Amino acid sequence: MKSVTIPPASVARLPLYLYALETLQSEGMGTISSEILANRVNVNAAKVRKDLSFLGTHGVRGVGYDSAVLGQEIREALGLTRDFGVVIVGIGNLGAALASYDSFGAARFHIVGLYDTNPEKIGTRIGDLEVRHLRHLAADVAEHDVEIGIITTPTAVAQEVAQQLEDCGIRSILNFAQTVLHTENAAVRRVDLSTELQILGYYLRSDRG
Amino acid sequence: MKSVTIPPASVARLPLYLYALETLQSEGMGTISSEILANRVNVNAAKVRKDLSFLGTHGVRGVGYDSAVLGQEIREALGLTRDFGVVIVGIGNLGAALASYDSFGAARFHIVGLYDTNPEKIGTRIGDLEVRHLRHLAADVAEHDVEIGIITTPTAVAQEVAQQLEDCGIRSILNFAQTVLHTENAAVRRVDLSTELQILGYYLRSDRG
DNA sequence: TTCGATTTGTGAAGTCAGTCACAATCCCGC
DNA sequence: GCGGGATTGTGACTGACTTCACAAATCGAA
Ligand SMILES: NC(=O)c1ccc[n+]([C@@H]2O[C@H](COP(=O)([O-])OP(=O)(O)OC[C@H]3O[C@@H](n4cnc5c(N)ncnc54)[C@H](O)[C@@H]3O)[C@@H](O)[C@H]2O)c1
Ligand SMILES: NC(=O)c1ccc[n+]([C@@H]2O[C@H](COP(=O)([O-])OP(=O)(O)OC[C@H]3O[C@@H](n4cnc5c(N)ncnc54)[C@H](O)[C@@H]3O)[C@@H](O)[C@H]2O)c1
């Protein structure tokens, strides 16, 4: 496994390339130029080539990249050649929506547990999963192979939940609550609607000088 | 309105500072140092000060920032001193969850319309809003003052919906579909769970060398 | 086999973001 | 009204990311 470290900015674009590639492939394109990929993803073609060069890929000069090969190379770089177990904590509006969303990027990510603390939620089902009390988290994580935790609890308890996830050995957290989590080792990515709207607000404002 | 342009990286952090400030304020802190704010948001204190300096703020040396004043300055910079109308297109799992989420960052963002094309969805209610057919979008946007569009349709139609939003004069789009939108003038922010999980996948992978 | 049209891979240059470090300033107690 | 401790504001530095630009490689046609 040739594990050259890829700059974070490039890593964040790899999923976009992968998705664009899959689309193009399904449209019957066997080889793809950096130019075409760049247009799909709205970036500079040189950036595409540089990003792909971190994978140690070899496109063919004068031709482009073989879409099947390149797709596989990106999948390997992202570690998408195996499955990941995912748990969701906080099965409210948002948590339930995520739980019922099955096709997480070509099915490498599998939701294997749903947790809440509200007695009214415990025992309800979403798809073929039952919502369990958070107190079972540790045992469940130990038993199944869970690597990613998604937090969709109210903001006030998100930090506490993150701690529990870390205590169970989970090293990757996706946080939908409106707070910045402090973790010791876990990688955290934050997704927050309010933040995004506020950023859009800034650019709306500067529109009118 | 002193409209110095703020670097994008700083703009993206302002909402975090604002949220941290509001929390600290509610804990009774009247003045706040860059150090404390930095800890809350997990960044370097010098970065906080530099970011805040773009606002033309004036903290007090030896003391810190007045939390009420600073909060107001950030709100003004982000344009949060007025209200924004928001519409959501695609009222499925995710769209419905967003629609029922009322407290969008201190209520400056108001959802004023929900749209779908599926006859089974049309006419259903979420809160006090009724889901309307997408064909009413243009007229509704013209009538009410809508500035932000949220796309939660299937990926396949997201681009087409974005075009319609732009045609209605909407200049800011929040895109939850797994595709990169191409717009002429509108600012787009993309929020995608699959992408985030894949990024986490990379860092899980490199854990084990 | 050579030529022209393409397209990659990548050094070099340019731009932007993050950090350091410290003078300038302020508050408070005396 | 002076001194000590605290904290800001910012110039200079460092590093990361992006873009440019072009030689090197490939293909297909003549
Ligand atoms: N719904 C949205 O559109 C939306 C948008 C942006 C951000 N968010 C954020 O996402 C989070 C969830 O939002 P929501 O609308 O789904 O809220 P919600 O209130 O519908 O759901 C929260 C769920 O978490 C559960 N919960 C509470 N404490 C818990 C604990 N200690 N352990 C486990 N579960 C616990 C609750 O019982 C509830 O089921 C919030 O932090 C919110 O700020 C939501
Ligand atoms: N639900 C999730 O957890 C989740 C996670 C990541 C990404 N996404 C993305 O969010 C989007 C929505 O996901 P979802 O789970 O809510 O899907 P969904 O199928 O539940 O909802 C999609 C809705 O869009 C409507 N729709 C279809 N075509 C339309 C059109 N032309 N105009 C207006 N409405 C239209 C459908 O009738 C449906 O109600 C998808 O692009 C998905 O990839 C969802």
Side-chain angles (χ1 to χ4, degrees), chain A residues 120-142:
Chain A
E120 289 179 22
K121 306 267 171 159
I122 314 271
T124 60
R125 302 186 76 83
I126 295 178
D128 51 5
L129 283 177
E130 189 179 298
V131 178
R132 286 163 66 75
H133 193 283
L134 187 61
R135 81 169 79 86
H136 298 119
L137 180 69
D140 291 0
V141 167

Side-chain angles (χ1 to χ4, degrees), chain A residues 127-199:
Chain A
D128 51 5
L129 283 177
E130 189 179 298
V131 178
R132 286 163 66 75
H133 193 283
L134 187 61
R135 81 169 79 86
H136 298 119
L137 180 69
D140 291 0
V141 167
E143 187 175 341
H144 306 82
D145 188 28
V146 178
E147 292 178 85
I148 299 178
I150 298 182
I151 298 179
T152 49
T153 61
T155 300
V157 300
Q159 177 62 51
E160 181 190 324
V161 168
Q163 184 64 52
Q164 292 182 60
L165 287 169
E166 250 196 312
D167 290 346
C168 300
I170 286 177
R171 303 290 296 275
S172 287
I173 294 174
L174 195 48
N175 173 34
F176 284 83
Q178 198 183 6
T179 186
V180 176
L181 296 178
H182 299 259
T183 57
E184 276 144 50
N185 295 304
V188 179
R189 296 204 49 105
R190 188 170 171 278
V191 175
D192 184 45
L193 188 57
S194 313
T195 301
E196 297 299 325
L197 287 176
Q198 289 176 17
I199 295 171

Side-chain angles (χ1 to χ4, degrees), chain B residues 18-34:
Chain B
L18 183 56
Y19 187 80
L21 259 179
E22 287 169 348
T23 307
L24 288 163
Q25 219 178 337
S26 75
E27 290 169 9
M29 309 203 80
T31 66
I32 294 177
S33 70
S34 59

Side-chain angles (χ1 to χ4, degrees), chain A residues 90 92-94 116-118 121 152-155 176-177 193, chain B residues 97-98 101:
Chain A
N93 287 317
L94 189 56
D116 208 298
T117 50
N118 182 340
K121 306 267 171 159
T152 49
T153 61
T155 300
F176 284 83
L193 188 57
Chain B
L98 299 183
Y101 183 61

Side-chain angles (χ1 to χ4, degrees), chain A residues 43-61:
Chain A
V43 299
N44 183 296
K47 186 149 62 177
V48 172
R49 294 198 294 277
K50 188 146 280 190
D51 284 342
L52 297 184
S53 77
F54 293 120
L55 309 184
T57 67
H58 288 285
V60 181
R61 296 175 184 213

Side-chain angles (χ1 to χ4, degrees), chain B residues 114-186:
Chain B
L114 308 177
Y115 300 90
D116 208 299
T117 50
N118 182 340
E120 288 179 23
K121 305 268 173 158
I122 315 271
T124 59
R125 303 186 74 83
I126 295 180
D128 51 5
L129 283 177
E130 189 180 298
V131 178
R132 286 163 66 75
H133 193 283
L134 187 61
R135 81 169 78 86
H136 298 119
L137 179 70
D140 290 359
V141 166
E143 187 175 342
H144 306 82
D145 189 28
V146 178
E147 293 178 86
I148 298 178
I150 298 182
I151 298 179
T152 48
T153 62
T155 300
V157 300
Q159 178 61 52
E160 180 191 325
V161 168
Q163 184 63 53
Q164 292 184 60
L165 287 168
E166 251 198 308
D167 291 346
C168 299
I170 286 178
R171 304 290 296 276
S172 286
I173 294 174
L174 194 48
N175 173 34
F176 284 84
Q178 200 182 5
T179 184
V180 175
L181 297 177
H182 297 261
T183 57
E184 276 144 49
N185 294 305

